C-alpha cells in the first residue's frame, strides 16, 4: 500500500521508510506526491501538530497521508523544548544547541528527558489513525556520536551507557519513539484496511 509522508525531512523519510517498508508499505514523500508546502505547526501538542500536517497533505493530494510530530522533553527545562524542538535552535547549529542544553541541565539535579513522537494518518474518507511512542532517557554529560540527527548526541536512552547518536539506524529504530509510534501505526493501519475503522 502507498502512503504519503507529510514531510520533506530526509532524515525522517529515511527512518520511516526503514520501519514501514519491511511491513509492506511504500512510503512516498509529500513532494514526490506533488505537494510542495509544509503546514504551519500551530498546535499545542505533538498530536495536534501531527493532525494539522496530515490533514493538510491529505486535502492537497486526496490520498492517505501520515505525519509525525516529535521532539524532546527535558525535565530540567520544564518539559521544553517539547513542541518547539525544531525551532529551539534558532540560528544556531544542533551541536551548539546541544552544548547549551548540557550547560542548562548541569545546573540541575534532574537529567531526565524523553523523546516523544505522535503519528496521525488522515484518510480521504474522513477517518483518522493516531498513535504515540515515548523513549525515556537522560541528558548526557557530553556531546557524543556521529549517527542520527538533532538531539541524538546528548540523549542517553534508559539502560544504555551511550548516546542515541552512537547507535546504528537499525538499533535506533528498534527502540526509538518514532519506531514505536510507527510500528503501532502499521498495526492499526492493517486493522483499518480490514475493518474500515480504528481500534484503540
Ligand atoms: P518536527 O517533528 O519535524 O516538528 O521536529 C522534530 C524535532 O525534534 C527535530 O527537528 C529534532 O530537533 C527533534 N527530534 C525529533 N526526533 C528526534 C530524534 O529521533 N533524534 C533527535 N532529535 C529529534
Amino acid at each position: 500500500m502507498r502512503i504519503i509522508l507529510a514531510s520533506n525531512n530526509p532524515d525522517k523519510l529515511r527512518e520511516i521508510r526503514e520501519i514501514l517498508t519491511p511491513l509492506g508499505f511504500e512510503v512516498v514523500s509529500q513532494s514526490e506526491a506533488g505537494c510542495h508546502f509544509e503546514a504551519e505547526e500551530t498546535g499545542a501538542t505533538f498530536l495536534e501538530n501531527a493532525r494539522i500536517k496530515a490533514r493538510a497533505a491529505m486535502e492537497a493530494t486526496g490520498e492517505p497521508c501520515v505525519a509525525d510530530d516529535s521532539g524532546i522533553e527535558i525535565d530540567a527545562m520544564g518539559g521544553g523544548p517539547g513542541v518547539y524542538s525544531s525551532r529551539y535552535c534558532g540560528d544556531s547549529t544542533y551541536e551548539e544547541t546541544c552544548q547549551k542544553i548540557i550547560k542548562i541541565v548541569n545546573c540541575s539535579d534532574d537529567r531526565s528527558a524523553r523523546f516523544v513522537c505522535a503519528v496521525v494518518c488522515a484518510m480521504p474518507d474522513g477517518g483518522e489513525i493516531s498513535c504515540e511512542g515515548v523513549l525515556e532517557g537522560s541528558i548526557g554529560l557530553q556531546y557524543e556520536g556521529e549517527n542520527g540527527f538533532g538531539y541524538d548526541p546528548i540523549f542517553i536512552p534508559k539502560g544504555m551507557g551511550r548516546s542515541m547518536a552512537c547507535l546504528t539506524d537499525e538499533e535506533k529504530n528498534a527502540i526509538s519513539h518514532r519506531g514505536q509510534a510507527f510500528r503501532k501505526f502499521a498495526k492499526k493501519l492493517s486493522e483499518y484496511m480490514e475493518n474500515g475503522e480504528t481500534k484503540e
Side-chain angles (χ1 to χ4, degrees):
M1 178 188 175
R2 171 173 143 124
I3 196 133
I4 292 162
L5 178 69
S7 169
N8 292 315
N9 177 331
D11 293 312
K12 276 192 184 179
L13 189 64
R14 189 190 71 245
E15 286 191 3
I16 293 165
R17 275 201 175 126
E18 276 166 16
I19 298 161
L20 291 183
T21 307
L23 301 172
F25 299 99
E26 183 199 354
V27 183
V28 175
S29 74
Q30 66 173 28
S31 59
E32 287 169 315
C35 172
H36 297 285
F37 70 95
E38 288 213 21
E40 219 185 313
E41 298 179 8
T42 52
T45 63
F46 295 113
L47 190 68
E48 281 173 20
N49 280 336
R51 183 172 290 131
I52 290 168
K53 292 187 272 189
R55 284 198 183 155
M58 186 276 290
E59 276 159 23
T61 61
E63 293 190 61
C65 288
V66 65
D68 84 326
D69 195 56
S70 52
I72 190 165
E73 294 179 345
I74 300 170
D75 291 342
M77 295 171 67
V83 290
Y84 300 104
S85 293
S86 56
R87 288 164 271 180
Y88 183 65
C89 284
D91 292 331
S92 307
T93 63
Y94 267 107
E95 180 159 0
E96 288 162 350
T97 308
C98 285
Q99 299 291 4
K100 180 171 111 182
I101 290 175
I102 291 173
K103 283 195 187 131
I104 295 172
V105 174
N106 282 350
C107 297
S108 156
D109 299 333
D110 190 356
R111 306 198 75 84
S112 52
R114 66 206 55 78
F115 274 122
V116 181
C117 176
V119 171
V120 171
C121 183
M123 299 296 184
D125 66 3
E128 177 183 292
I129 299 171
S130 63
C131 21
E132 201 175 72
V134 178
L135 179 66
E136 294 287 343
S138 60
I139 299 300
L141 295 166
Q142 62 198 23
Y143 184 93
E144 63 162 0
E146 306 275 315
N147 302 329
F149 66 98
Y151 301 100
D152 282 340
I154 55 165
F155 184 81
I156 318 269
K158 200 172 184 174
M160 284 198 182
R162 57 198 174 139
S163 84
M164 191 107 116
C166 297
L167 305 182
T168 62
D169 279 357
E170 215 178 23
E171 289 169 330
K172 178 178 171 181
N173 285 338
I175 59 166
S176 78
H177 50 312
R178 195 168 300 102
Q180 294 179 44
F182 273 94
R183 280 188 292 276
K184 284 185 201 166
F185 165 67
K187 190 165 174 283
K188 284 192 176 186
L189 181 59
S190 304
E191 289 169 359
Y192 188 94
M193 301 315 287
E194 277 171 29
N195 307 326
E197 60 184 30
T198 53
K199 283 183 187 165
E200 289 303 323

